[in-house]
Amino acid sequence: MSKNILFAKKEGEEMMYLSGRKLPDKFKPIFGLLYFYRAATANQLLTAMYPNDFPPGYIMSVPSKQRPKRLDHLYSTLRQMVKHGLVQDDKADYVRRKLKVFSLTKEGVELAKEALKIDPDLKDAEGFNHQLGEFSYELQRPPKNRMTHHLLLVDFFLKLNFIKVRHPNITLDYRDNRYASKRYTITIKGEIEDDIKTVFFRPDAELLLQGKRYYAEIDTGSEYLEELKSKFEGYARYFIKLESENRSLPEAIIFVTNEKEHDNHVKRRWKTISSAFLSVMNKWKTRVNLILAPLNHVQRVILEEVNAERGLGDLGSKMKYYLPDPGQLSYMGQKYGVSWGTAYFNVVPQNNGREVLFLYERSTGYETRGICRAYDFIENYSAIQKITKRLANVDVVMPIFYHHTFDYRALETNSFTSKESAKQIMNDCYVLDIESNPKWKYGSGEEIQYPNPLVTT
């Protein structure tokens, strides 16, 4: 069949002209999606086009006989683009299936740039707010040796699209490492002269969520402890650069895995990832959070981040019942020795005349920062106490880790300077579920029986 017959205009079908070629208008959205995502399955493309009608994972869940008609139409269009040399298809293993993955050919990339009106002089496009950059075919070409990793990244992006559609009041945008990668230089001190070395910072993705920056790493379980340490060393180097330039640090690094949250593999993987993070990121672990997000919990993790401030407000309202007058949370900042900025606490008198400082930190699911802050505060408490006169007679600090979406999870103690101190903090702490009526437990999981857990002696 000739190209003219194959792409002859059907009745009512709009056409476009690209480099002198007459092509159906229906190619344009596929040009846009494949240029943005680099490679995707037909299911992913349909979800990207219609996130309300076909949420992430929906198409895979229905029997093949019930698959949407729009998917059949999309396959038909993709086949036309393949025959015309604009799109190529390859087989890839993903979620225990052999799937057909579509990407633009070299010719397809050039025509996509024309169809999408990408400025050829725009070499430094940000990638946010639908601003597409000028990339060579080599950069657009999908990473065939890491296709599982790439398809998981696309699924993560589709989850974010779905959140944006279902929660239009949330400000959320993202970009991949074509835009997020940074090239910079570091100075290595030498005995005779210093050496200037060029290094690259390459997160898999970067998110802007409610004005805060997050980096994302796609985790397929293929990197061992030492490789993960090397990855976090790259983050640590880049954070030093950000600090030297007085630029803000990210809120968190999110590791996205395709495993289900309840799988034992996720628990084992979290131990490896968090151990690597804690062993390398000592300077940053109270300021930058590490979060593990199984793909089926991405929406809950994102909403937890969005509602972080509200969670602190919920904590304050729930604690009024337990606190002496005036029943409000107190706080102290860096000038009092708090390394990360602001610590929320209360000093509560006990029946025996002593006073206990209760330190509040969020610790919900797979995350590190709350526990690291409590550990840092307790380890440096003697210095904090000297600065703060109000704490002169307070010699007991009790962390309260609060949550309302995911349960509290302790961290491995091996990466803390004092393993015994870390173990004691995580086992003896209070854990407060503020989802509805407050539920109190010890870190060990044992329920607290006191009517007011803040007054026990």
Side-chain angles (χ1 to χ4, degrees), residues 307-406:
N307 295 322
E309 294 299 324
R310 194 196 76 188
L312 191 60
D314 290 346
L315 171 69
S317 63
K318 297 286 171 64
M319 291 303 299
K320 286 181 179 179
Y321 172 79
Y322 302 99
L323 294 171
D325 290 336
Q328 296 178 345
L329 303 186
S330 301
Y331 63 92
M332 65 178 80
Q334 285 183 314
K335 70 177 183 178
Y336 295 104
V338 179
S339 64
W340 63 87
T342 304
Y344 292 91
F345 72 100
N346 281 112
V347 174
V348 180
Q350 304 297 298
N351 293 330
N352 61 7
R354 299 177 65 194
E355 292 183 317
V356 175
L357 185 151
F358 291 96
L359 177 71
Y360 304 101
E361 279 295 336
R362 188 190 81 173
S363 188
T364 175
Y366 296 103
E367 67 173 350
T368 57
R369 189 166 60 186
I371 292 174
C372 289
R373 285 180 171 179
Y375 174 85
D376 183 82
F377 188 93
I378 291 172
E379 288 295 290
N380 294 288
Y381 181 66
S382 59
I384 294 171
Q385 192 178 35
K386 290 176 183 177
I387 299 172
T388 313
K389 293 181 179 179
R390 173 68 182 86
L391 306 180
N393 298 318
V394 181
D395 55 4
V396 177
V397 177
M398 174 63 75
I400 297 178
F401 296 119
Y402 64 91
H403 66 91
H404 56 65
T405 301
F406 303 102

Side-chain angles (χ1 to χ4, degrees), residues 11-24:
E11 187 175 349
E13 185 176 59
E14 297 296 327
M15 306 296 285
M16 60 181 171
Y17 292 85
L18 301 175
S19 296
R21 300 174 64 178
K22 188 176 181 180
L23 300 172

Side-chain angles (χ1 to χ4, degrees), residues 159-353:
K159 290 278 187 180
L160 299 180
N161 288 349
F162 184 70
I163 294 169
K164 291 169 69 173
V165 169
R166 290 298 173 94
H167 301 274
N169 292 330
I170 292 177
T171 303
L172 171 61
D173 206 350
Y174 60 86
R175 59 183 184 175
D176 66 21
N177 62 10
R178 287 172 299 171
Y179 304 94
S181 296
K182 303 295 181 186
R183 177 180 177 179
Y184 62 102
T185 59
I186 59 174
T187 302
I188 301 174
K189 296 292 184 181
E191 293 183 6
I192 301 175
E193 60 180 19
D194 296 340
D195 182 28
I196 306 298
K197 183 179 179 182
T198 299
V199 294
F200 292 89
F201 172 65
R202 289 194 181 100
D204 287 330
E206 182 179 1
L207 284 62
L208 290 180
L209 177 62
Q210 301 293 84
K212 296 180 180 179
R213 191 175 305 274
Y214 294 74
Y215 291 117
E217 295 289 341
I218 300 304
D219 184 66
T220 59
S222 60
E223 292 176 306
Y224 294 103
L225 181 64
E226 293 306 315
E227 293 172 290
L228 289 167
K229 285 182 179 180
S230 178
K231 182 189 292 286
F232 287 123
E233 285 168 357
Y235 272 95
R237 279 195 303 269
Y238 187 62
F239 292 172
I240 291 171
K241 176 178 174 59
L242 292 179
E243 189 176 56
S244 70
E245 296 176 353
N246 200 29
R247 294 161 61 193
S248 61
L249 295 171
E251 181 70 13
I253 304 168
I254 303 175
F255 267 65
V256 181
T257 174
N258 201 33
E259 304 297 333
K260 304 297 184 184
E261 191 276 337
H262 56 77
D263 285 351
N264 287 329
H265 175 77
V266 171
K267 298 175 184 177
R268 286 193 294 269
R269 190 62 183 156
W270 173 240
K271 288 182 179 181
T272 303
I273 295 171
S274 60
S275 294
F277 175 84
L278 294 172
S279 66
V280 172
M281 303 287 281
N282 188 58
K283 182 178 179 181
W284 315 105
K285 63 188 179 185
T286 62
R287 298 164 65 187
V288 178
N289 202 3
L290 174 69
I291 301 172
L292 181 69
L295 192 62
N296 63 325
H297 277 179
V298 164
Q299 177 168 312
R300 292 176 69 184
V301 167
I302 295 297
L303 294 181
E304 183 76 48
E305 292 301 298
V306 170
N307 295 322
E309 294 299 324
R310 194 196 76 188
L312 191 60
D314 290 346
L315 171 69
S317 63
K318 297 286 171 64
M319 291 303 299
K320 286 181 179 179
Y321 172 79
Y322 302 99
L323 294 171
D325 290 336
Q328 296 178 345
L329 303 186
S330 301
Y331 63 92
M332 65 178 80
Q334 285 183 314
K335 70 177 183 178
Y336 295 104
V338 179
S339 64
W340 63 87
T342 304
Y344 292 91
F345 72 100
N346 281 112
V347 174
V348 180
Q350 304 297 298
N351 293 330
N352 61 7

Side-chain angles (χ1 to χ4, degrees), residues 34 43 48 53 107 109 197 229 282 317 413-414 421 435 454:
L34 289 181
N43 289 356
D53 297 332
E107 184 180 12
V109 167
K197 183 179 179 182
K229 285 182 179 180
N282 188 58
S317 63
T413 61
N414 293 339
S421 177
E435 180 65 29
L454 303 191

